[in-house]
Amino acid sequence: MTDQPTRPIRFVVLHKPGPKWQTGVDYRQQEGVNAHVQHYLKLHQQGKLQLGGPFLLPDIGGMMVTTKDVTLEEIETFAAEDPAVISGLLTYEIRPWMTAMEHEG
């Protein structure tokens, strides 16, 4: 039996509206969303956030995708420290994601 190559694992942070979310109000107008964006911008500037942004459906939330070098412990701590999570604007869930198809470009 041959060994299968290890596929890169990334972590996806799924955000959903929390108890402080104002239903029907555009995500850009939600109180505290700017602090959320600034929080994840730090991760992006460190080269640890590959992709991120809102879903294009009202009141659904969004997601962030880490780079390959981020550990579960690191992203768990970072996601929990999000001001929008602390305030109750958003909730989050972290899922491990195996990138079975990836263009190395």
Side-chain angles (χ1 to χ4, degrees), residues 17-102:
K20 299 281 179 143
W21 186 269
Q22 297 177 42
T23 302
V25 174
D26 185 82
Y27 72 90
R28 293 167 287 203
Q29 303 302 317
Q30 297 286 338
E31 186 175 337
V33 79
N34 190 49
H36 165 71
V37 171
Q38 294 304 310
H39 183 70
Y40 276 90
L41 183 58
K42 291 180 217 171
L43 197 65
H44 180 67
Q45 290 169 337
Q46 294 170 12
K48 296 181 177 186
L49 182 66
Q50 186 72 39
L51 301 166
F55 295 122
L56 296 177
L57 298 170
D59 302 319
I60 296 297
M63 65 183 257
M64 306 290 175
V65 180
T66 67
T67 56
K68 299 172 193 173
D69 58 336
V70 176
T71 66
L72 177 58
E73 294 77 19
E74 182 178 10
I75 194 60
E76 178 68 45
T77 298
F78 191 85
E81 292 173 347
D82 181 351
V85 168
I86 293 169
S87 74
L89 179 66
L90 297 172
T91 63
Y92 73 93
E93 174 186 354
I94 298 174
R95 295 184 186 179
W97 178 44
M98 181 181 68
T99 55
M101 289 184 240
E102 183 173 1

